[in-house]
Amino acid sequence: MEQAKQLVESIVKGIQEKKGQQIVVADLSGIDGSIANYFVICQGNTPTQVEAITDSVSETVRIALHEKPAHVVGTEQAVWVAMDYTDVLVHIFVPETREFYNLENLWEDAKLTNIPDAE
């Protein structure tokens, strides 16, 4: 579990490097049948920023922890990119798509932690 927490910290750092906003970490570790231990959810203002955040997360985690995502989907449209690090799933949205899917409420049993936006 400590490794997953380090992964979450690196992911958040990568998001903040590209000014990703409204970062929420959902701790799913206590929920039976959850597909991961953590979700990290954030948004970029445009598809271009979503792509930049995706690249930054990938690079930050690779340098810090020598890990690569098992899968990355959604880069073609870049309105919702999902990065699968097995224990941690990263969801990077544009605002309209994030509001529509509202993942935070889907996992309302999870402990949600809001991370302040980077300055």
Side-chain angles (χ1 to χ4, degrees):
M1 190 61 92
E2 187 59 40
Q3 188 175 4
K5 288 180 181 178
Q6 289 177 339
L7 181 55
V8 168
E9 288 174 11
S10 291
I11 289 165
V12 168
K13 181 179 176 189
I15 292 167
Q16 290 176 327
E17 290 277 326
K18 296 299 177 184
K19 307 289 190 229
Q21 299 171 327
Q22 297 182 19
I23 304 168
V24 175
V25 176
D27 183 345
L28 308 174
S29 60
I31 300 175
D32 288 338
S34 66
I35 57 175
N37 288 323
Y38 294 94
F39 273 14
V40 180
I41 305 164
C42 73
Q43 68 189 42
N45 290 319
T46 63
T48 302
Q49 187 180 14
V50 168
E51 285 182 48
I53 294 167
T54 303
D55 292 343
S56 180
V57 167
S58 185
E59 185 74 3
T60 303
V61 171
R62 186 184 61 76
I63 290 169
L65 302 174
H66 309 290
E67 287 192 42
K68 294 180 180 178
H71 300 289
V72 178
V73 295
T75 54
E76 304 80 26
Q77 304 297 319
V79 294
W80 176 6
V81 173
M83 304 176 77
D84 181 356
Y85 282 96
T86 309
D87 284 341
V88 181
L89 294 178
V90 185
H91 299 275
I92 308 165
F93 292 98
V94 293
E96 304 80 32
T97 306
R98 182 179 188 173
E99 186 177 327
F100 180 80
Y101 286 101
N102 200 3
L103 290 186
E104 291 94 324
N105 282 343
L106 280 179
W107 294 97
E108 60 188 26
D109 294 346
K111 178 180 178 251
L112 301 179
T113 304
N114 293 302
I115 309 293
D117 290 348
E119 293 298 318

